[in-house]
Amino acid sequence: MTDKYAVIGNPIAHSKSPIIHAEFAKQTNQDISYEAVLAPLNSFEMKVRELIELGYKGANVTVPFKFEAFAIVLPSSRALDAGAVNMLRFLDTEIRGDNTDGLGLVRDIKQNLGVNIANKRILLLGAGGAAEGVLHPLLEESPALLVIANRTLEKASSMQKKVELKNEHRTYLLNAQAFDDLAHQQFDIVINATSTGLTDTALPIPSSIFAEGCLAYELMYGRETPFMAQARAAGAQVSDGLGMLVEQAAEAFFIWRGVRPQTAPVIAMLRNN
């Protein structure tokens, strides 16, 4: 019998997740179906309950429901760290939630792009949900320094304080700064976790932040953003978030099915289409 899965979002028609999971299923001989499901903005939980009633085994969660998903699940430690959920498992008596976004980012950077994170100076741009989702997995890679920079320093400082309170017995080299503080600093990895790519808005950051050999990573995928163009002009190695999308999906697939698919051929297929 075919096991049913879905990705829930609003909007959702653009999602590549059904293509990705269909490729994973083909690779691993798993009998599953996977579809994109549109949830009304005020009815996310109702849509989840509806899928459970229809016999679905699990779902991915995308914008704008990752925080709402967190509120209705038994969260994993990764979900607790992120404060958000991007995948659900429907068990007999409970909904379990996890967050595979940060792991997907780390795997894409290390395995697909061949860039080590340990002992590197990292700049994380933004202090919203996307930044929260990747912060802890990045810190677990032991960078030399991680700076969270945001338009409003207060939000970046709040992220820093949450990490410090949760990790009283472990010291991370973590700083919160405003964009204005970035002059005269350079970083080995710069990650754009802001939403500026959606609006084609340039960030108020100096091009001098990109050190020689720097990796500039845009969490968005499918378009050249102003951040990517600025980084390219500054001589940085540039990547969008397509690899992260596939890697986070692969981790969700592994949790659901117990088999780990190969991601490289799926990333190549999506880039060539």
Side-chain angles (χ1 to χ4, degrees):
M1 184 172 154
T2 302
D3 290 336
K4 295 187 288 187
Y5 298 88
V7 57
I8 309 170
N10 188 330
I12 198 62
H14 67 287
S15 176
K16 295 186 184 299
S17 293
I19 300 170
I20 293 168
H21 284 275
E23 289 298 315
F24 289 164
K26 201 184 302 179
Q27 271 186 30
T28 57
N29 296 314
Q30 294 291 300
D31 185 10
I32 71 165
S33 66
Y34 188 106
E35 63 187 294
V37 171
L38 179 70
L41 292 176
N42 60 351
S43 302
F44 170 75
E45 183 174 0
M46 190 183 303
K47 180 59 70 175
V48 170
R49 303 289 175 190
E50 181 183 308
L51 294 181
I52 293 171
E53 286 294 317
L54 291 169
Y56 281 70
K57 299 290 188 180
N60 287 119
V61 180
T62 188
V63 176
F65 298 122
K66 292 182 183 183
F67 295 111
E68 286 183 59
F70 182 81
I72 65 169
V73 302
L74 181 66
S76 68
S77 58
R78 290 189 298 208
L80 286 169
D81 284 341
V85 158
N86 78 329
M87 69 149 292
L88 309 171
R89 277 194 297 161
F90 304 144
L91 304 180
D92 289 340
T93 58
E94 63 192 20
I95 305 171
R96 292 193 183 175
D98 204 340
N99 193 307
T100 63
D101 283 333
L103 180 71
L105 171 64
V106 167
R107 283 193 180 148
D108 190 36
I109 290 174
K110 291 175 65 178
Q111 296 176 17
N112 301 324
L113 301 176
V115 175
N116 284 325
I117 299 173
N119 302 315
K120 297 291 179 65
R121 295 170 57 86
I122 299 177
L123 174 61
L124 181 61
L125 298 167
E132 292 266 18
V134 302
L135 176 60
H136 281 83
L138 287 169
L139 288 172
E140 289 300 313
E141 293 297 315
S142 302
L145 170 69
L146 194 151
V147 171
I148 307 164
N150 196 54
R151 290 179 194 274
T152 53
L153 179 59
E154 186 179 358
K155 285 187 75 175
S157 296
S158 174
M159 280 180 67
Q160 179 183 354
K161 285 171 187 167
K162 275 195 282 187
V163 170
E164 290 171 349
L165 285 170
K166 196 165 187 177
N167 299 274
E168 293 178 358
H169 305 297
R170 182 166 181 181
T171 303
Y172 293 109
L173 288 168
L174 178 65
N175 291 329
Q177 299 181 16
F179 288 150
D180 293 342
D181 300 328
L182 295 176
H184 313 301
Q185 297 185 66
Q186 287 198 319
F187 299 89
D188 305 304
I189 301 173
V190 180
I191 299 166
N192 183 23
T194 73
S195 59
T196 51
L198 291 169
T199 55
D200 282 333
T201 306
L203 284 159
I205 54 174
S207 294
S208 56
I209 61 171
F210 302 103
E212 186 176 349
C214 174
L215 170 65
Y217 196 102
E218 169 68 73
L219 292 194
M220 279 193 59
Y221 63 91
R223 63 198 295 188
E224 177 83 357
T225 66
F227 167 77
M228 294 169 71
Q230 181 183 8
R232 218 182 288 283
Q237 174 188 352
V238 176
S239 178
D240 69 2
L242 182 65
M244 172 183 169
L245 175 72
V246 175
E247 293 293 345
Q248 65 79 26
E251 181 68 10
F253 191 90
F254 174 70
I255 292 168
W256 287 329
R257 309 302 299 175
V259 289
R260 191 173 295 284
Q262 294 182 347
T263 53
V266 179
I267 295 169
M269 180 267 293
L270 291 171
R271 291 228 183 266
N272 291 329
N273 287 346

